Structures are given as C-alpha cells and as structure tokens.
Amino acid sequence: MHLAGNISDLLISLWCGTFDHAVDDDPADWPWAVLLNEEVWRAHGNVVERAGRFLPSSYDRKPHNITEKINTQYKTWEFQLYIFGLAPILLYGILPPIHWENYCKLVRGFQMMCQSTLTKEELLDAHALLCSWEHEFELTYYKLCESRIHFVRPCVHQVAHLISEAIHKGPPICYAQ
C-alpha cells in the first residue's frame, strides 16, 4: 500500500529530525526527534536487525538494519513490518509518552484495517483510533504552527478515509492491491 509507505516516510523523517523545517524550528528542539542523534539511530538499527530472529519464518527474511539500508535496499514490506510491527515496542520508553501513545493508536487502527474481514464493531473501533490519531498528530507535531503545516501530509488525512472506503468496498487488503 502506498499509504503505509507514505506514513512510514513521514514518521521516520520526524523521529530522525530529517523532515524539512523552518530555519527557526530546529529539529534538536523537537521532543519526538528521538533518533536524531547518530549514535542512538545506529543502536536502534542494530536492535531492528536483531529483532528479526524472533519473527516467524513466514516473513521471507529478517529485516535489514534500517540505518544501513533505508535509502538503498529497504523494501516496502520491511518499512511496513518496522512501522506497524517492530517500532511500537522498540520505541517504547524512547518516544515521549504523548507521541508513543498517539503512534500506537495509528498502529492498532491500521492493523485492524489490514484484516481480511471486519465487523461493525471493529470498524467503529478503528475509526475512533484513526480519527484520534489524526487529531492528536496535528496537535502534537504540527501544533497549529503555520511553519509546520507541511507536517500534515495528505497521508495523515487519508488514514481516516480507510473506514468509509471499507464500508463501500470492503477491507483495503481486498481492493487496494
């Protein structure tokens, strides 16, 4: 899914402090830029690579070290596995609680939407999680600052539309290939 790739790019860029920013908006001052420090980023990449040995063999192969392969050989499934599988636990205690909790809403809502069948209750839960994620994302990252409006990429708003699309077309896994 392009959506998963775009969200991965957005979040990794924010957490690494590599996202475009205004001259007076230093990423070193961003509380969520926890992977900005090169040493922390490298250590995190090693943990991602080592986590691969705990994954079931149904994953074609273990993920690469994200710090070494992010710009060259990191595949779409590796980004998805990282963002929606490994990063929630690997960033626990590293991301500030407000950002980690917001991120976990996205992950849980997205995981629910990746099921091949969805009940009405699951759609309602996913809708609540994803709308909450979008609203809180804007308040905690963008902070309604004009110089940060570009933080709110179209993929941020597209997430909430997964629910209405699922109501009309079925789960995204069945139509978005």
Side-chain angles (χ1 to χ4, degrees), residues 7 11 16 22 30 36 44 54 58 63 71 83-84 90 95-96 101 104 128 134 155 160:
I7 289 171
L11 293 175
C16 290
W30 297 348
L36 178 63
H44 182 72
F54 299 102
S58 59
N71 292 323
I83 288 293
F84 299 105
L90 298 179
L95 268 176
E101 291 168 12
C104 286
E134 177 187 10
C155 64

Side-chain angles (χ1 to χ4, degrees), residues 49 61-79:
E49 185 175 31
R61 59 183 311 264
K62 66 181 190 169
H64 289 95
N65 179 324
I66 193 168
T67 61
E68 295 173 355
K69 306 291 183 178
I70 194 168
N71 292 323
T72 56
Q73 297 174 349
Y74 228 63
K75 297 181 180 354
T76 302
W77 73 265
E78 287 177 290
F79 280 115

Side-chain angles (χ1 to χ4, degrees), residues 10-11 13-14 18-22 25 27 30 32 133 137-138 140-143 145-157:
L10 170 66
L11 293 175
S13 297
L14 287 168
T18 57
F19 205 84
D20 289 338
H21 56 88
D25 190 19
W30 297 348
W32 61 81
W133 170 76
F137 178 90
E138 291 186 10
T140 59
Y141 290 91
Y142 156 52
K143 294 189 176 192
C145 295
E146 184 178 328
S147 64
R148 290 185 178 169
I149 196 159
H150 64 287
F151 284 20
V152 186
R153 290 183 174 174
C155 64
V156 172
H157 294 299

Side-chain angles (χ1 to χ4, degrees), residues 50 64 106:
R50 287 194 319 266
H64 289 95
L106 168 70

Side-chain angles (χ1 to χ4, degrees), residues 1-12 76-77 79-81 83-84 103 106-107 109-114 126 130-131 133-134 137 151-166 171-173 175-177:
M1 272 175 112
H2 291 0
L3 178 58
N6 290 337
I7 289 171
S8 298
D9 180 57
L10 170 66
L11 293 175
I12 292 169
T76 302
W77 73 265
F79 280 115
Q80 290 178 1
L81 176 60
I83 288 293
F84 299 105
Y103 168 54
L106 168 70
V107 170
F110 210 88
Q111 287 172 343
M112 292 172 78
M113 293 307 298
C114 287
L130 296 175
C131 287
W133 170 76
E134 177 187 10
F137 178 90
F151 284 20
V152 186
R153 290 183 174 174
C155 64
V156 172
H157 294 299
Q158 187 180 357
V159 167
H161 294 285
L162 287 173
I163 311 308
S164 61
E165 291 297 312
I173 197 165
Y175 71 82
Q177 297 301 320

